[in-house]
Amino acid sequence: MRFFTFFIMIFYFFSANAQRNIVLRLSHALNDSSFKYNENFEIDGNKNYYTRLQYYLSGFELIHDGGQSTSLINTYVLASGHISNYYLGNFNISSLESITFDVGVDQIANSENTTNFSSDHPLGPKSPPMDWGWPSGYFFVVTNGFTDSDNDYVPETPFELHALGDQMLTHID
């Protein structure tokens, strides 16, 4: 009986050690500088600053332990320019080798409605909104801010850029 108990404890120890919390760490940058809200950046000779940067990530695939693949079905991240760490889950992985994902929302989820999800779910209703309404679907990427439209080095003209539509889904290796 002691041997059996010892064996179970060893099995539990090795099983527990193989579990890994997988956290996606993003480093937002613009023009080789760390991205920050309300800080001037020069783009194409114009001063700009950003008040919002949000985008969806989906279609995650983890490559681990000598080339094994684990797809994260129905895992979505609503990333923001001021947040670096996103918890993806706990998996039986010893060594994570690479990760692939899509910028945007897969076609199936993009045809659903935000009211199908709770407000704390990445695809749920957001304020400010992350969707245009249907059939257009979710905004895959949103940037808001101000640009210097009169070349006085003061960003004073508001802008909003929204990327949406299934054709905008972009795969990242």
Side-chain angles (χ1 to χ4, degrees):
M1 186 64 165
R2 279 187 176 154
F3 178 76
F4 182 74
T5 303
F6 177 74
F7 180 77
I8 294 296
M9 287 174 41
I10 293 296
F11 178 77
Y12 175 77
F13 175 77
F14 283 110
S15 296
N17 280 341
Q19 292 290 319
R20 297 281 189 253
N21 287 328
I22 303 299
V23 177
L24 178 65
R25 291 188 170 92
L26 301 173
S27 177
H28 297 96
L30 183 61
N31 290 345
D32 298 324
S33 298
S34 291
F35 178 85
K36 295 180 183 150
Y37 289 119
N38 303 316
E39 183 176 292
N40 286 342
F41 290 94
E42 189 167 318
I43 300 174
D44 295 330
N46 289 334
K47 294 281 185 190
N48 299 276
Y49 74 86
Y50 294 84
T51 57
R52 181 181 181 200
L53 169 62
Q54 288 185 291
Y55 54 96
Y56 280 105
L57 302 176
S58 66
F60 293 94
E61 184 176 3
L62 308 177
I63 310 302
H64 58 91
D65 301 323
Q68 294 181 54
S69 175
T70 299
S71 296
L72 309 187
I73 307 300
N74 295 322
T75 299
Y76 300 92
V77 167
L78 176 54
S80 295
H82 66 291
I83 299 173
S84 297
N85 297 329
Y86 299 91
Y87 176 75
L88 297 179
N90 186 279
F91 301 93
N92 188 15
I93 291 176
S94 294
S95 174
L96 182 63
E97 295 151 8
S98 67
I99 183 171
T100 66
F101 55 87
D102 297 325
V103 176
V105 177
D106 59 271
Q107 188 173 9
I108 293 170
N110 197 36
S111 66
E112 294 183 21
N113 193 312
T114 60
T115 59
N116 294 346
F117 303 95
S118 67
S119 62
D120 61 340
H121 189 281
L123 298 180
K126 302 294 175 225
S127 180
M130 281 301 290
D131 67 285
W132 192 265
W134 276 253
S136 298
Y138 289 92
F139 296 141
F140 289 4
V141 179
V142 173
T143 60
N144 296 353
F146 293 86
T147 188
D148 175 20
S149 61
D150 59 6
N151 295 320
D152 66 355
Y153 299 104
V154 177
E156 71 286 314
T157 304
F159 71 83
E160 292 185 12
L161 300 172
H162 298 174
L164 66 151
D166 293 330
Q167 71 278 8
M168 298 298 289
L169 190 67
T170 304
H171 187 72
I172 305 293
D173 286 321

